[in-house]
Amino acid sequence: MNKSHIAILASGTGSNAKALIQFATEQGFNISCLITDNPMAGVIKIADDHHIECLIIEKKGSKSEHEACILQALKKREIDWILLAGYMRILSPGFVKAFYNQKYQVSHIINIHPSLLPKFPGAHAYQEAYAAEVQTSGITIHFVDEGIDSGKVIVQAEFPRLKEDSFEDFKKRGLALEHELYPKVMEKIINNTLFEEHL
Ligand code: GRF
């Protein structure tokens, strides 16, 4: 069995990227590269600290030109799985199609989202869930499709919002759960068991 070649795409702090990279390192698995569209992203240092190749691919022209640059970099490294970890751009249908698995009818692109989808899709899920005073929120890891946070769910997990929670407390609890679960999904990719266990 060939080993998977995994790339992480991230735009920000990179706490999920860090959890994934640390887990991979513990397993003796090498993440092929990390790609960011944001030259100021904290995730760059995380990749550097762990000696993971980090490509900064900024959007300078159109969306399709930007995606073409990313696709070229992925192809060159024979990437077969993409893990989105706080990547703040919506991938075009053409991009998703480039990683589509006909047999299983899902893409090889996975995203982590901080709500119990379909509740609170979009870029401000923690804020919206907190403002809605939900008693229970959660996180979702899902296959990426052409929509926004609408792909087939791989796993969801709940966490409580306590009465006395500040927004920071609430988000911290959610992020801890994200960091616990995302590596477990990656482990299934590494072991080639994701489809048999989740589809
Ligand atoms: C996480 O909450 C993730 O669920 C969402 O974006 C955030 C990224 O945080 N998609 P980080 O950059 O991994 O710290």
Side-chain angles (χ1 to χ4, degrees), residues 10-18 43 84-88 111-114 126 139-140 171 175 178-179:
S11 303
T13 315
S15 67
N16 277 286
K18 187 175 179 182
V43 76
L84 304 181
Y87 186 65
M88 296 309 286
N111 184 40
I112 184 158
H113 183 80
Y126 277 124
I139 67 128
T140 303
K171 184 172 175 183
L175 274 169
E178 293 191 41
H179 302 158

Side-chain angles (χ1 to χ4, degrees), residues 71 74 79-80 82 95-101 107-109:
L71 281 170
L74 295 169
I79 299 300
D80 40 28
I82 299 174
F95 190 105
V96 176
K97 206 171 159 199
F99 281 84
Y100 195 70
N101 183 317
S107 74
H108 281 208
I109 309 173

Side-chain angles (χ1 to χ4, degrees), residues 30-198:
N30 187 42
I31 302 277
S32 300
C33 67
L34 186 142
I35 297 179
T36 184
D37 59 329
N38 174 10
M40 305 301 286
V43 76
I44 296 169
K45 184 173 182 325
I46 291 170
D48 287 348
D49 287 349
H50 292 82
H51 311 291
I52 305 286
E53 183 186 20
C54 180
L55 304 169
I56 302 171
I57 306 181
E58 283 184 80
K59 182 175 175 294
K60 293 198 169 128
S62 67
K63 182 182 175 96
S64 63
E65 285 165 346
H66 185 227
E67 289 192 341
C69 287
I70 296 175
L71 281 170
Q72 196 185 31
L74 295 169
K75 200 170 170 198
K76 192 173 162 198
R77 290 160 184 80
E78 300 181 349
I79 299 300
D80 40 28
W81 282 94
I82 299 174
L83 300 181
L84 304 181
Y87 186 65
M88 296 309 286
R89 293 180 190 277
I90 307 297
L91 299 173
S92 71
F95 190 105
V96 176
K97 206 171 159 199
F99 281 84
Y100 195 70
N101 183 317
Q102 285 295 344
K103 183 174 170 197
Y104 291 99
Q105 309 265 300
V106 290
S107 74
H108 281 208
I109 309 173
I110 291 178
N111 184 40
I112 184 158
H113 183 80
S115 76
L116 293 172
L117 289 170
K119 286 182 193 156
F120 310 114
H124 306 290
Y126 277 124
Q127 289 89 335
E128 286 171 16
Y130 184 79
E133 299 187 5
V134 293
Q135 285 182 9
T136 301
S137 194
I139 67 128
T140 303
I141 299 175
H142 64 93
F143 293 103
V144 171
D145 66 6
E146 311 72 35
I148 296 176
D149 301 322
S150 55
K152 194 172 173 23
V153 170
I154 298 169
V155 64
Q156 290 189 305
E158 296 181 350
F159 66 91
R161 179 221 169 113
L162 306 182
K163 249 202 201 135
E164 64 276 16
D165 270 357
S166 65
F167 174 67
E168 284 69 32
D169 297 331
F170 175 72
K171 184 172 175 183
K172 198 172 161 196
R173 194 170 305 116
L175 274 169
L177 193 58
E178 293 191 41
H179 302 158
E180 184 187 328
L181 289 191
Y182 212 2
K184 289 189 178 158
V185 170
M186 181 177 67
E187 185 176 27
K188 294 180 188 189
I189 294 174
I190 296 171
N191 294 334
N192 211 14
T193 59
L194 185 66
F195 291 144
E196 82 193 38
E197 288 184 39
H198 291 277

